Amino acid sequence: MSAVAQENSQPLNFYRPDYFVKTPTMRSPEYVQLSTAAAITLGLVPGVMHRTSCTNCLNLLMTYPEGCRANCTYCGLARHREESRDYADRNFIRVDWPTVRVDEMLERIAKNSDKGQFQRMCISMITHPDSDHDTQVMLKRWMEVAPHIPASILSNPTTMDKQDLIDLKAMGADIFTVALDAVTPEIFERTRGKTVQSPHSWDKYWQTIEWAAEIYGPEKFGAHLICGMGETEQEILAVCQKMKDMGGHNHMFAFFPEKGSMMEDWDAVPQDHWRRVQLGRFLIDYAGGRYEDMEFDQYGRVLSFGYPQAELEDIIDSGKPFQTSGCPGKDDEEVSACNRPYGDSSPSDIRSFPFALNREDVEIVRRQMRLQDLRFPG
């Protein structure tokens, strides 16, 4: 039976992106999209992930036929794609996001279909008039079924006010995050501001981060930062320190040119740039490191982390700085439950490791970091 026939006769429980059929009408809060890794973990689609048993976080994405009304240049969900691809069929952070009926998803959670793998659930809002209200409906339903799995909110500051943050916490949200993404006002404006006919504002995003610090408190809020959109290592690590000083955490993403986005022809962030930023972020967030103690060259590249060498070597050897950063799970506060397998790179050139690194992985990372090369430029 076709997807259209199912839609007309009975509620559709699951839709996997398919460019050869008419996309059915699916709308939150009755429906929600989920990452491919989460769909595999829940048994909705077959598949395996390279060296990892999929994901420990159920990443959910609000969905509407009208799609996201923002136009961020690096995002596969951006408004400019509406002429070429229906919203539910668009790729996002390198993968397809299947759509599931919320009743079906919650039934599988209640039946432990994830076999206890999920340590966290995250609702990702989008820029849409109904997203604020429907996120609260989704959170309420989640807390009725799975209050034992903590919930995060990846917010849309553009449509929110302070009371929204208060209400979400009262309803059970454990952590509140803001996808700042761009780390300077100039980069923010050219990638997601009025310059590209997008509604987001640097000032409103930082205001929302300040609200989150006040309402959720230390260790319970964070910001997503994308490394490789034109900023220097010095600029992004300065933002990491600002977030840490406010009491928050930094969730780092390596820029990857998303197919179909306006930045699809950009280069991915260079390996050495990325590895140094990963290490600097970890030192600031978890190891008492300070941006002010770091040394940078004339191009804003890290020359020294200003950290005791023996301790620095131990931290590198642990591999933790190079794993995916995000909201924590129950096992280790320094390791993200939201491991987003291969969300910012392919398995052949791993940028954010979705698993613990072995000795060989660490040696590869050390070579990629190339600290010594910066001291003696050729």
Side-chain angles (χ1 to χ4, degrees):
M1 182 181 292
S2 70
V4 176
Q6 287 185 45
E7 179 190 7
N8 291 334
S9 61
Q10 61 184 5
L12 182 69
N13 277 337
F14 183 71
Y15 171 75
R16 193 170 185 180
D18 185 343
Y19 311 142
F20 299 102
V21 301
K22 181 180 178 182
T23 307
T25 299
M26 299 171 291
R27 182 181 296 275
S28 294
E30 183 180 3
Y31 289 93
V32 70
Q33 289 178 261
L34 71 169
S35 68
T36 295
I40 292 172
T41 305
L42 269 183
L44 287 163
V45 298
V48 294
M49 291 280 179
H50 176 64
R51 292 180 61 185
T52 183
S53 55
C54 291
T55 181
N56 292 319
C57 183
L58 175 57
N59 295 105
L60 304 178
L61 181 68
M62 306 304 284
T63 189
Y64 306 92
E66 306 83 21
C68 183
R69 306 323 294 158
N71 204 35
C72 302
T73 58
Y74 50 87
C75 183
L77 303 178
R79 190 183 70 245
H80 80 272
R81 297 191 74 189
E82 60 191 353
E83 293 183 0
S84 61
R85 185 158 296 172
D86 289 326
Y87 183 76
D89 290 327
R90 296 176 200 170
N91 48 288
F92 178 52
I93 58 172
R94 296 190 70 252
V95 299
D96 288 335
W97 284 63
T99 306
V100 65
R101 193 163 180 245
V102 170
D103 287 348
E104 172 73 15
M105 183 266 293
L106 291 176
E107 182 178 339
R108 286 175 179 259
I109 291 294
K111 291 180 178 178
N112 198 36
S113 295
D114 65 310
K115 298 179 174 59
Q117 281 190 228
F118 289 140
Q119 298 183 25
R120 180 165 292 277
M121 181 277 292
C122 178
I123 304 174
S124 296
M125 303 173 66
I126 66 170
T127 307
H128 186 279
D130 297 334
S131 186
D132 293 351
H133 170 268
D134 294 341
T135 295
Q136 293 192 18
V137 173
M138 181 71 248
L139 179 61
K140 181 176 184 295
R141 295 203 61 193
W142 178 265
M143 297 306 296
E144 291 170 350
V145 173
H148 60 288
I149 301 177
S152 295
I153 301 295
L154 178 55
S155 64
N156 176 43
T158 298
T159 61
M160 303 182 81
D161 57 32
K162 189 175 182 179
Q163 188 61 45
D164 291 320
L165 278 70
I166 295 170
D167 292 344
L168 287 165
K169 184 180 181 184
M171 294 173 66
D174 176 53
I175 290 178
F176 187 93
T177 63
V178 172
L180 181 66
D181 294 349
V183 300
T184 71
E186 296 77 17
I187 296 173
F188 189 101
E189 177 59 27
R190 71 166 169 79
T191 58
R192 55 191 331 212
K194 291 183 174 59
T195 299
V196 290
Q197 299 180 319
S198 198
H200 302 317
S201 157
W202 172 265
D203 290 340
K204 179 61 184 294
Y205 268 62
W206 274 105
Q207 180 183 59
T208 305
I209 292 171
E210 291 169 359
W211 289 339
E214 174 188 344
I215 295 165
Y216 287 78
E219 313 298 319
K220 294 297 183 180
F221 72 98
H224 287 198
L225 309 176
I226 298 178
C227 177
M229 295 206 297
E231 78 294 329
T232 66
E233 296 167 29
Q234 187 169 8
E235 286 171 332
I236 196 168
L237 290 174
V239 172
C240 288
Q241 189 65 65
K242 180 177 180 178
M243 281 296 303
K244 176 64 175 177
D245 290 345
M246 293 174 68
H249 282 152
N250 299 283
H251 303 169
M252 200 73 70
F253 294 69
F255 173 77
F256 185 91
E258 185 83 38
K259 184 177 180 181
S261 73
M262 287 185 276
M263 293 177 70
E264 67 177 357
D265 294 328
W266 274 53
D267 292 329
V269 59
Q271 291 174 333
D272 58 328
H273 179 120
W274 171 239
R275 295 303 181 201
R276 291 188 294 269
V277 167
Q278 279 186 301
L279 180 55
R281 189 279 315 180
F282 186 88
L283 295 175
I284 289 169
D285 272 3
Y286 296 113
R290 297 289 306 179
Y291 162 80
E292 295 85 356
D293 295 333
M294 297 178 186
E295 181 185 349
F296 302 88
D297 71 8
Q298 62 181 319
Y299 303 107
R301 298 178 299 188
V302 177
L303 288 175
S304 168
F305 290 98
Y307 204 83
Q309 190 61 34
E311 296 176 31
L312 184 65
E313 295 297 328
D314 287 343
I315 289 172
I316 294 173
D317 285 341
S318 76
K320 288 183 179 181
F322 314 106
Q323 290 184 242
T324 308
S325 54
C327 294
K330 61 184 179 182
D331 298 330
D332 187 339
E333 66 175 15
E334 296 178 354
V335 175
S336 173
C338 182
N339 60 338
R340 303 185 299 276
Y342 312 110
D344 59 8
S345 64
S346 70
S348 62
D349 181 18
I350 301 173
R351 300 304 175 94
S352 298
F353 284 83
F355 50 81
L357 285 71
N358 61 29
R359 183 176 299 179
E360 181 180 350
D361 297 324
V362 171
E363 288 307 310
I364 291 172
V365 165
R366 283 182 176 276
R367 291 195 297 271
Q368 291 173 340
M369 210 175 315
R370 293 171 47 211
L371 282 174
Q372 195 66 23
D373 291 355
L374 294 185
R375 291 191 174 277
F376 304 100

